[in-house]
Amino acid sequence: AVVSTQSTGMWVAYDAKTRTLVIDTEGLLGVSSNLNRRTRLLLKILALSDVAIYRTRAERLHNDMFVFLSDASKVYCDHFSTELQGVLEKHSIDIPFTKLGPRVLIFHETQYTEILGAPEDDGTEIIAVDPDRPNNGEEDIGVSLSSLGDEVADREILQRFLALGEYPKAFSKIRYIGIKSGSGPTDFTVLTRGIREELSGNSTRSRKPLTLIMESLRVLNSKFSNGISQKPLSTFSDDFFRCPQICSSCRQQCSLSVSHTGSHLLTEKYCRYQHAFKNRIFICTKCYNDGCRREVRPKSFEDSETPLSGYMKLAWSGYVIECDECGVIYRSRQYWFGNKTPEQESVRTEIVHVWPGEEAKPENTARFLLDQLYVISET
């Protein structure tokens, strides 16, 4: 035996006795220069299969299996089902969506721990005998502490999926086959019997001709054969350490670490303006050109004026925009006519993010106050 992978891609063989096309892959353990392409090929094969075997040798079923099957189900429903349904309609084959997906056999082999659905250990050996196999005077062939399609085990599998908030609805059937091998070699008797039962039964999915399988594979390859990134998925998700706050306007997440101090930040991502949040601010143009980003706001009067004189001047000359560095840089009614807007004369606008807990900033409170003064004067 060698450690390196010997079956890159997929291997196909046809069994004339059972009229079955067998496809073998390295699964998720295969070594490839592009792991994402390998995963995409695996999902295509899974979509084409009538019966798929997921083999795992572990003392317990890990979450990786449930996550993979759930993700494969989503890919099947969102991308593959439409293409495969089109192939069936072309050949006038009517199969409902609930029976279109493959049947999955989870072959779970343990060495020391009990398999799902196993009875309590009372010191006796439990033999699973095939009731359909004739004895012919020979010793019954069974597997110690095995579970074949046990309802208790199937319920535990379903509960594990639901505990993760997922369920692979694309698969027409999920069946658990468990075996406790101990220190001996793997006995595939129970798995073989389970495969034969699924192949002989057509209650969930009818047999397909080879031409239909090849055309389905051709359709999926022509549709999903674009270049794919070689960058593998990160072992540790960025969400573990990234600030969870999301901008209320553009729905982008803060790029800083969780529990950071100061304001939230988004790098190289622009926000979009929404009237409900009024997330537009003014920046002094002169300061910006000098290399300083200084925010300014419209207000009723200058800081050096008293409220009484300021409001009187507001009714006559309009609101002002005052910069801490440059002083008054804009007055709305500086001239009798032909006054420019702030953006044309002294400020530049920026769209800013709105984070949870931040109140919307009024764009022009002075202009609103001026309008109210006009209403009072007219009445």
Side-chain angles (χ1 to χ4, degrees), residues 194-267:
I195 295 174
R196 288 175 177 174
E197 290 178 0
E198 296 299 332
L199 293 177
S200 60
N202 57 2
S203 58
T204 57
R205 192 171 181 179
S206 57
R207 290 179 176 268
K208 299 190 300 290
L210 290 178
T211 55
L212 184 63
I213 298 176
M214 295 303 298
E215 183 172 353
S216 300
L217 180 60
R218 181 188 60 81
V219 169
L220 292 182
N221 279 335
S222 61
K223 175 78 173 181
F224 306 101
S225 59
N226 58 301
I228 189 170
S229 173
Q230 295 187 12
K231 182 179 179 181
L233 298 178
S234 176
T235 304
F236 299 102
S237 173
D238 187 51
D239 294 337
F240 295 168
F241 313 101
R242 190 176 176 184
C243 176
Q245 298 298 333
I246 296 177
C247 174
S248 302
S249 181
C250 65
R251 309 307 301 172
Q252 296 291 335
Q253 188 175 353
C254 176
S255 57
L256 298 179
S257 299
V258 66
S259 301
H260 64 84
T261 59
S263 302
H264 299 286
L265 178 65
L266 269 177
T267 58

Side-chain angles (χ1 to χ4, degrees), residues 296-356:
V296 294
R297 297 184 186 180
K299 50 188 176 180
S300 305
F301 49 85
E302 303 176 34
D303 293 339
S304 58
E305 294 178 331
T306 62
L308 179 59
S309 62
Y311 283 119
M312 292 179 62
K313 188 179 292 186
L314 171 65
W316 179 259
S317 301
Y319 68 91
V320 298
I321 298 179
E322 187 176 11
C323 174
D324 295 338
E325 179 71 20
C326 307
V328 177
I329 59 176
Y330 179 79
R331 191 175 294 275
S332 61
R333 290 200 304 279
Q334 185 174 1
Y335 308 104
W336 285 101
F337 59 89
N339 292 291
K340 296 181 180 180
T341 62
E343 295 88 342
Q344 295 174 325
E345 188 169 316
S346 55
V347 300
R348 66 192 306 271
T349 60
E350 288 186 6
I351 308 301
V352 295
H353 298 284
V354 181
W355 303 105

